[in-house]
Amino acid sequence: MSNKRKTPNANAQQLLFAQVGGICPICADPLVYTKSGISQYQKNYELAHIYPLNPTKEEEQLLADEPRLSDDVNSIDNFIPLCLKCHNRFDNPRTDEEYRKLYALKKQLIDEENAKNLFSQYTIAEEIQTIILTLLQVDLGSAEEKLELTALQIDQKLKNDFNPITKRHIVADVTDYYPLIRRLFSSIERDTPGKFNVIAANVHAFYLNLKLKVTTQEEIYNEMAKWLYIKTKQGSLDACKVIVAFFIQNCEVFEYVAE
């Protein structure tokens, strides 16, 4: 018995459009366009089923061992907006390699959406905003103290799903900024005893919940930085990544990886 296509409602379609940022996730072409003299946007995409709505016998065999994002082929988790050209190319003929790529892409989009849904549940202390402002003004060239650590110490907390460039940034941020941030938190603790423990516990709780929502450590690192960026409204994602690196070294984020 064949499946009947159920088109997502208007709200779900807006969500799907926003997930891909209004561009085709395969070729990066805009999903809408305008014409001279016409003020309204024109649609340049279709909602593609990642796992086919009614797979042929060949497609069933091809995808038999592949993971699926939902048992319901009409779930929004199985839909993704593609430009007309890429949708046609994806469907004709369908290949396991292209399926895996689109599956992985959609899985990442779902993880990011789940992470954003956590943002509103966790507040950020005003003290972190103050620390971020200090980071934006500090001159590292005049800094007298740097943390003495080896890359191995950081590697013990970072899994292989981190790309080498990101891992290098984290090591550098910890080496350059950890002593300064530790002193700033110590000053906060002197003024308000117990405050750092509250902040650290909140960061750790957010990390633990995020860990349930997203797949890789690198995604957790990026989503935690976005969380700080959105909540502090300080306008520096790089400074927020420095804060996350501090909490990685301080053990609120990531556990030691057994060798």
Side-chain angles (χ1 to χ4, degrees):
M1 184 176 178
S2 62
N3 294 310
K4 186 176 180 180
R5 182 185 180 95
K6 297 178 182 177
T7 302
N9 63 30
N11 290 335
Q13 290 190 44
Q14 287 182 351
L15 174 62
L16 290 166
F17 185 86
Q19 271 187 342
V20 297
I23 61 173
C24 176
I26 294 178
C27 71
D29 278 355
L31 296 180
V32 294
Y33 65 93
T34 58
K35 283 188 174 182
S36 178
I38 301 176
S39 58
Q40 292 185 335
Y41 284 98
Q42 308 299 309
K43 186 177 176 181
N44 185 40
Y45 69 93
E46 295 171 335
L47 295 179
H49 283 89
I50 298 172
Y51 186 89
L53 178 64
N54 290 298
T56 64
K57 288 184 179 181
E58 290 79 6
E59 289 174 334
E60 286 182 345
Q61 293 176 351
L62 180 72
L63 304 176
D65 298 325
E66 299 296 336
R68 293 171 60 172
L69 293 161
S70 174
D71 291 333
D72 178 7
V73 290
N74 284 308
S75 165
I76 65 169
D77 288 346
N78 192 49
F79 277 109
I80 191 166
L82 298 179
C83 74
L84 305 182
K85 178 181 65 178
C86 288
H87 187 190
N88 182 63
R89 185 178 298 168
F90 176 67
D91 283 349
N92 301 292
R94 194 175 295 265
T95 67
D96 53 359
E97 180 181 0
E98 289 180 333
Y99 175 84
R100 292 186 195 114
K101 288 180 179 179
L102 211 55
Y103 170 91
L105 175 61
K106 179 67 176 187
K107 178 68 167 60
Q108 182 177 350
L109 294 172
I110 292 172
D111 287 348
E112 290 175 356
E113 195 70 32
N114 289 335
K116 289 176 185 175
N117 291 336
L118 282 178
F119 287 4
S120 63
Q121 300 177 30
Y122 293 86
T123 58
I124 290 295
E126 292 181 3
E127 288 81 359
I128 287 189
Q129 298 184 35
T130 302
I131 289 175
I132 290 175
L133 286 174
T134 302
L135 292 178
L136 294 175
Q137 298 169 10
V138 71
D139 178 9
L140 280 180
S142 62
E144 297 180 357
E145 180 186 6
K146 287 192 176 185
L147 182 66
E148 294 295 330
L149 84 164
T150 65
L152 176 60
Q153 290 174 291
I154 294 294
D155 285 343
Q156 289 175 329
K157 300 177 185 179
L158 304 183
K159 296 180 181 177
N160 292 331
D161 54 32
F162 266 101
N163 74 66
I165 294 176
T166 304
K167 187 178 291 188
R168 186 173 181 180
H169 282 311
I170 292 173
V171 172
D173 285 343
V174 170
T175 304
D176 291 339
Y177 290 102
Y178 185 88
L180 170 63
I181 296 174
R182 184 172 55 189
R183 288 199 306 273
L184 293 172
F185 273 127
S186 295
S187 177
I188 291 169
E189 186 69 14
R190 283 193 298 271
D191 294 338
T192 311
K195 186 65 177 181
F196 175 75
N197 288 337
V198 172
I199 294 172
N202 191 45
V203 170
H204 185 60
F206 180 72
Y207 157 68
L208 290 176
N209 277 278
L210 195 58
K211 189 178 175 183
L212 299 174
K213 302 289 185 181
V214 301
T215 305
T216 68
Q217 279 193 337
E218 186 155 3
E219 288 178 301
I220 291 173
Y221 166 75
N222 287 327
E223 293 302 327
M224 292 199 73
K226 290 178 189 175
W227 169 56
L228 291 174
Y229 177 76
I230 290 172
K231 298 297 257 186
T232 59
K233 301 180 177 66
Q234 295 299 333
S236 174
L237 185 59
D238 287 339
C240 293
K241 289 181 177 180
V242 171
I243 297 292
V244 176
F246 169 86
F247 284 111
I248 291 174
Q249 176 65 18
N250 215 54
C251 297
E252 281 77 25
V253 178
F254 302 150
E255 300 81 15
Y256 277 103
V257 179
E259 295 182 357

